[in-house]
Amino acid sequence: MERSSLPDVELVVRTMAETIVANEAYFSQLDAVVADGDFGYSLARGFSEVLAGFDQFDRSSPSTFLKKVALVISSKVGGASGPLWGTAFLRAAAACDKKQTLAPEDVIAMLRAAAGGIQQRGGAVLGDKTLLDALIPATDALQDSLQAADSDVAAIQRAAEEARRAAEATSAMIAKKGRAAYTGERSIGSVDAGAVAIAVIAEAVSAAWRGHHQAAKEPA
Ligand SMILES: Nc1ncnc2c1ncn2[C@@H]1O[C@H](COP(=O)(O)OP(=O)(O)OP(=O)(O)O)[C@@H](O)[C@H]1O
Ligand SMILES: [Mg+2]
């Protein structure tokens, strides 16, 4: 993977935000199966504010940009997701502080910091049937693929495939965190909304990355 810079970070954040807004109803439907059905609404309200303010955010570095995104998410995303996603962005920002360009190891460190922040904030561990059950395996796959010297396009696709597989696998788990936990064993048989959101976002980022970077390299 080549070094990434602010335009790559912007591409990822914009793709995330557009995907979340486009999937508002779908994500809420998934949450409604075992919880209160506000997940898509909460996320979409916050990320539509990210899109609205996008062009005005401080762009002195990837870290300052991500900090601003974190602030908007923390203040505008409601429910349990606001503090979790806000913390994830804030930790990712801190992990690349003072860097203008990001090496593959920096990207992995940012994703690990984001997952660590979510764990600290929400107290969930792997297997509790939350978005971490897709985010952590996808990060592992990205790291493995990058270490195997795959192209960045291939590595991100691999991570998205793993996020999808892992999200589907949450169907067999019992929810231990969030509102879904109140349903106990009745949560078995349906996928976790947050984990599916991670898969949908990862697939969209993979497609956007391929469109941007592969197209640029192909001979005319
Ligand atoms: N403590 C937690 N740690 C990590 N992820 C969590 C936690 N609680 C919920 N989630 C994730 O957030 C998703 C639901 O988000 P949402 O904001 O709707 O929270 P909720 O649990 O339904 O509670 P509320 O609706 O009261 O905010 C779940 O599908 C799960 O992936
Ligand atoms: Mg909810």
Side-chain angles (χ1 to χ4, degrees):
M1 193 185 207
E2 290 166 23
R3 294 187 78 89
S4 302
S5 53
L6 186 63
D8 287 327
V9 175
E10 287 184 48
L11 177 72
V12 170
V13 173
R14 189 185 283 282
T15 303
M16 273 186 84
E18 287 172 350
T19 305
I20 284 166
V21 170
N23 284 279
E24 173 178 345
Y26 175 51
F27 293 165
S28 280
Q29 275 162 22
L30 291 172
D31 188 42
V33 177
V34 284
D36 54 346
D38 62 346
F39 174 60
Y41 175 82
S42 303
L43 271 193
R45 292 292 71 70
F47 279 89
S48 60
E49 292 286 334
V50 168
L51 289 174
F54 207 86
D55 294 338
Q56 280 78 52
F57 293 166
D58 184 338
R59 284 171 162 67
S60 343
S61 71
S63 181
T64 55
F65 179 75
L66 289 170
K67 255 181 225 148
K68 182 64 198 169
V69 173
L71 279 179
V72 173
I73 291 171
S74 297
S75 61
K76 304 289 182 187
V77 175
S81 292
L84 296 175
W85 291 64
T87 302
F89 273 85
L90 205 56
R91 294 293 181 88
C96 66
D97 195 25
K98 302 199 171 63
K99 295 189 178 184
Q100 285 299 339
T101 63
L102 309 174
E105 311 82 77
D106 296 323
V107 174
I108 298 297
M110 288 161 74
L111 289 167
R112 299 271 181 227
I118 292 171
Q119 278 182 302
Q120 213 174 22
R121 191 81 199 219
V125 295
L126 262 184
D128 281 353
K129 194 171 181 133
T130 70
L131 76 176
L132 291 168
D133 290 306
L135 180 59
I136 293 175
T139 305
D140 292 342
L142 183 67
Q143 186 168 25
D144 288 350
S145 193
L146 290 170
Q147 279 168 357
D150 290 343
S151 73
D152 48 5
V153 169
I156 297 172
Q157 185 181 326
R158 178 74 206 89
E161 286 164 3
E162 179 58 14
R164 173 60 65 179
R165 187 208 59 75
E168 299 296 335
T170 62
S171 181
M173 297 173 183
I174 299 178
K176 298 277 174 54
K177 293 286 169 198
R179 272 182 200 261
Y182 299 139
T183 61
E185 295 204 347
R186 279 192 291 124
S187 63
I188 296 177
S190 52
V191 288
D192 174 64
V196 173
I198 296 294
V200 172
I201 291 166
E203 286 163 356
V205 168
S206 172
W209 194 275
R210 180 183 297 278
H212 219 77
H213 290 270
Q214 190 151 292
K217 276 182 207 153
E218 271 164 12

